[in-house]
Amino acid sequence: MKSGSKRQANFELLRILAMLMIISLHYLVKGGIAVPFPFSARENPVGVCAWLVEAFCIVAVNCYVLLSGYFLAESGWKPGRIVTLFCRVLFYSLLIPVFLLAVGVVSASQLGLYGWIGFAFPFGTEHYWFATAYLLMYLFAPFLAAGMEKMDRRKLQIVLVFLLAFFSLEKTLLPLRLATDRYGYDFGWFLCLFVLAGYIRKYGIRWMEKQSCAVAGYVISCLCIWLLAIFSNAHSVDGGDAFAYYADMLYSYNHLLCLAGAVSLFYVFKNMRVRDGRFEKAVRTLAPYTFGVYLLHEHILVRYEWMRWLGVENVKKSFLFVPHLILCVVIVYGIGTAVDFARAWVFARVAAAVGNVSRR
């Protein structure tokens, strides 16, 4: 995403916020603080609080994809970006196990042949499910963008309604597990978000343009996710009934409430203005490295270990998890940014060297 205007800084700020939210989600769920449904709210108020925090963060992935779709819908398709994405993912997928082997955190016997195959082919094995879904979305992007360009507003609305009905509305209304539902962890949902982002770019959602409506939409959507989940949890009998399923399903990316919250938050930043200055400059500097933060802390050898390294176990049954969460998110984001900055420096030097050789 280029940063040639003030408005761009707003979107870059949303990109950073979305990654901070994603780290928070991983902390809560993989750290065991947001305990699985069903549970006794009276006996575990920490769990209730954790699910509230998660409700306000669950929109992050949708926001990240909406950002990409919003710009890809009208930008030129560049094959070089696919090469860059491949190289960036492989950089982390292959070098992290090498580094952990070198410092003695893991042994060669722990990794094995199949482990290295997974590191070498991270897209096909869905080592990073987001990267796989994003790659497929990007490959389909020129077809979707061309199709949306040819369609009038009415036809695009009809297509979007059918897509949302299939991927989101049906699973939102029916209290049972659908065979086609991937909870938003797939490129099909990303394609749906791409079309929605393209529609927003082309026609907008008029009532969302008012900042107060966008803020209210985000807050109300997230509170509804939490309240309905707590209500369903309270009425669950043994964890195998429809109430228990519904409580968990509310926290899926393709749930209608999660989508509504994501679109609302997107509009909050779309209509925001960031003044020129140190803060705006910092946002522009940090934003390009957010994807690297994800690739570092979600590597299969790291995704559960970083919580152990930072002592999440010590606060999982206490409200101290809140300040500890903030501290851990800052640490993970800071380290991830520094590592990706180094990665970018290496890539720039390699590209320059390749360029010099090709010109000879």
Side-chain angles (χ1 to χ4, degrees):
M1 192 185 298
K2 302 296 181 184
S3 53
S5 67
K6 292 181 182 179
R7 186 168 165 181
Q8 294 285 336
N10 304 334
F11 288 117
E12 295 299 299
L13 182 58
L14 177 57
R15 186 191 297 275
I16 293 172
L17 177 62
M19 187 52 61
L20 295 174
M21 288 178 165
I22 289 169
I23 300 170
S24 300
L25 290 174
H26 295 157
Y27 175 100
L28 292 169
V29 177
K30 295 174 182 176
I33 296 176
V35 296
F37 295 114
F39 64 88
S40 171
R42 182 176 298 178
E43 295 176 6
N44 191 357
V46 173
V48 174
C49 180
W51 283 107
L52 175 61
V53 176
E54 182 167 358
F56 278 87
C57 293
I58 198 66
V59 302
V61 171
N62 287 346
C63 285
Y64 211 94
V65 180
L66 285 171
L67 278 170
S68 297
Y70 186 81
F71 289 93
L72 286 174
E74 292 193 2
S75 65
W77 190 81
K78 299 177 181 178
R81 289 182 179 176
I82 298 175
V83 176
T84 300
L85 178 62
F86 261 96
C87 293
R88 196 169 182 180
V89 172
L90 283 172
F91 177 87
Y92 286 93
S93 181
L94 288 171
L95 289 189
I96 286 177
V98 171
F99 174 78
L100 294 179
L101 275 171
V103 298
V105 174
V106 297
S107 63
S109 60
Q110 286 179 282
L111 302 180
L113 175 62
Y114 288 104
W116 284 106
I117 292 175
F119 302 145
F121 299 93
F123 291 98
T125 59
E126 283 201 327
H127 182 145
Y128 299 104
W129 74 266
F130 180 90
T132 301
Y134 186 88
L135 172 67
L136 291 170
M137 182 193 74
Y138 191 80
L139 291 174
F140 278 93
F143 303 104
L144 293 173
M148 287 189 288
E149 184 63 30
K150 295 291 184 182
M151 299 173 74
D152 60 36
R153 185 172 187 170
R154 181 63 177 166
K155 289 181 180 178
L156 186 54
Q157 286 175 337
I158 293 172
V159 170
L160 189 55
V161 166
F162 276 107
L163 283 173
L164 292 176
F166 178 79
F167 282 103
S168 183
L169 182 61
E170 189 177 31
K171 67 88 53 74
T172 299
L173 297 178
L174 299 177
L176 69 158
R177 174 75 165 87
L178 300 175
T180 56
D181 184 19
R182 300 290 184 271
Y183 297 94
Y185 290 87
D186 64 323
F187 81 97
W189 176 240
F190 280 26
L191 296 183
C192 183
L193 290 174
F194 184 98
V195 175
L196 176 58
Y199 179 86
I200 292 173
R201 178 81 185 227
K202 197 170 184 180
Y203 300 110
I205 303 174
R206 184 174 298 177
W207 66 273
M208 278 283 191
E209 295 292 344
K210 193 173 181 180
Q211 191 76 335
S212 59
C213 290
V215 173
Y218 169 64
V219 173
I220 291 172
S221 297
C222 296
L223 282 177
C224 284
I225 290 173
W226 179 66
L227 291 172
L228 286 172
I230 296 303
F231 174 83
S232 299
N233 174 69
H235 288 78
S236 176
V237 178
D238 57 7
D241 58 10
F243 278 112
Y245 168 77
Y246 194 77
D248 185 64
M249 184 263 294
L250 283 155
Y251 286 87
S252 52
Y253 300 137
N254 59 346
H255 192 279
L256 206 55
L257 284 173
C258 182
L259 176 63
V263 173
S264 298
L265 187 60
F266 180 86
Y267 262 94
V268 170
F269 283 83
K270 177 179 178 291
N271 298 324
M272 187 184 292
R273 291 295 177 267
V274 179
R275 294 181 180 179
D276 290 334
R278 292 182 179 178
F279 178 74
E280 182 257 358
K281 206 175 263 188
V283 167
R284 294 187 192 279
T285 301
L286 294 174
Y289 308 111
T290 52
F291 188 53
V293 176
Y294 165 77
L295 294 174
L296 177 66
H297 88 279
E298 263 297 282
H299 191 281
I300 196 168
L301 297 178
V302 178
R303 64 179 57 156
Y304 291 100
E305 293 301 312
W306 69 264
M307 291 163 227
R308 183 174 62 83
W309 297 336
L310 295 176
V312 177
E313 182 69 26
N314 300 328
V315 298
K316 65 186 301 182
K317 295 182 179 180
S318 164
F319 284 107
L320 288 174
F321 88 84
V322 176
H324 190 262
L325 164 66
I326 296 171
L327 177 63
C328 288
V329 168
V330 171
I331 291 173
V332 171
Y333 188 87
I335 294 175
T337 299
V339 172
D340 203 56
F341 179 84
R343 189 273 318 160
W345 184 88
V346 171
F347 276 28
R349 296 301 178 274
V350 172
V354 171
N356 290 334
V357 171
S358 64
R359 285 193 292 268
R360 291 178 182 176

